[in-house]
């Protein structure tokens, strides 16, 4: 593994364990056993490391959304699988979500990008919802404003479930992912068609 990749991997591990406020470039370099100068050759400061990790997170989510859009037909099992993948990704980059307000104030470029991303995601989600309707997953009679509200709910729960977990259940790893992905999936229940509801394992 190249030094730059090792820096990113080590930084994410430290940020996930201790938070962005407690970790400096000195801590990252010490953990890796390299000099500060070597680290700063690749990244001038820790904010650059955080921004790079955020960009990778965004790209990974883009891949998930693109995968949904490219499917010729979608069934409920596929939707649930995609939800699980999304929550695994959030947990992998959990320091970003747990400290997102702090990070966005510290790195204005991330705040700006997040706003632009939410605008783009809104259009992508609406297109996916139309596909859900066409494939018999979503009811066709859902008002536009209700679907718009669902998108906001997706952002709130998807981006901030980790904060709720830290303040309440304190689940870790797969238990946290499984619990909150189930809660997230439950938001879709009122929008499902009868045939989609019958496809839910618990209702079989």
């Amino acid at each position: 593994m190249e030094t730059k990749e090792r820096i990113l991997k080590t930084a994410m591990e430290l940020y996930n364990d201790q938070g962005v406020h407690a970790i400096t470039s000195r801590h990252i370099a010490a953990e890796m056993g390299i000099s500060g100068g070597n680290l700063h050759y690749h990244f001038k400061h820790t904010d650059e490391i955080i921004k790079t990790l955020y960009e990778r997170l965004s790209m990974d989510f883009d891949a998930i959304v693109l995968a949904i859009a490219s499917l010729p037909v979608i069934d409920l099992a596929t939707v649930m699988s995609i939800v699980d993948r999304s929550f695994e990704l959030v947990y992998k980059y959990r320091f970003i979500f747990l400290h997102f307000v702090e990070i966005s104030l510290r790195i204005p470029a991330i705040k700006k990008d997040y706003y632009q991303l939410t605008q783009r995601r809104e259009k992508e989600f609406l297109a996916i919802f139309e596909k859900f309707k066409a494939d018999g997953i979503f009811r066709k009679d859902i008002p536009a404003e209700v679907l718009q509200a669902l998108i906001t709910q997706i952002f709130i729960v998807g981006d901030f479930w980790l904060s709720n977990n830290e303040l309440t259940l304190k689940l870790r790893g797969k238990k946290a992912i499984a619990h909150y992905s189930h809660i997230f999936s439950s938001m879709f229940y009122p929008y499902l068609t009868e045939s989609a509801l019958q496809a839910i394992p618990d209702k079989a």
Side-chain angles (χ1 to χ4, degrees), residues 170-186:
K170 299 184 184 298
L171 300 173
R172 293 292 178 262
K174 292 182 178 180
K175 287 185 178 180
I177 294 166
H179 180 77
Y180 282 93
S181 64
H182 176 71
I183 290 174
F184 181 88
S185 300
S186 297

Side-chain angles (χ1 to χ4, degrees), residues 29 39 64 83 88 146 148 167 176 178 200:
L39 185 147
I64 290 176
V83 169
E88 288 168 1
V146 174
Q148 197 72 44
L167 293 170
I200 298 175

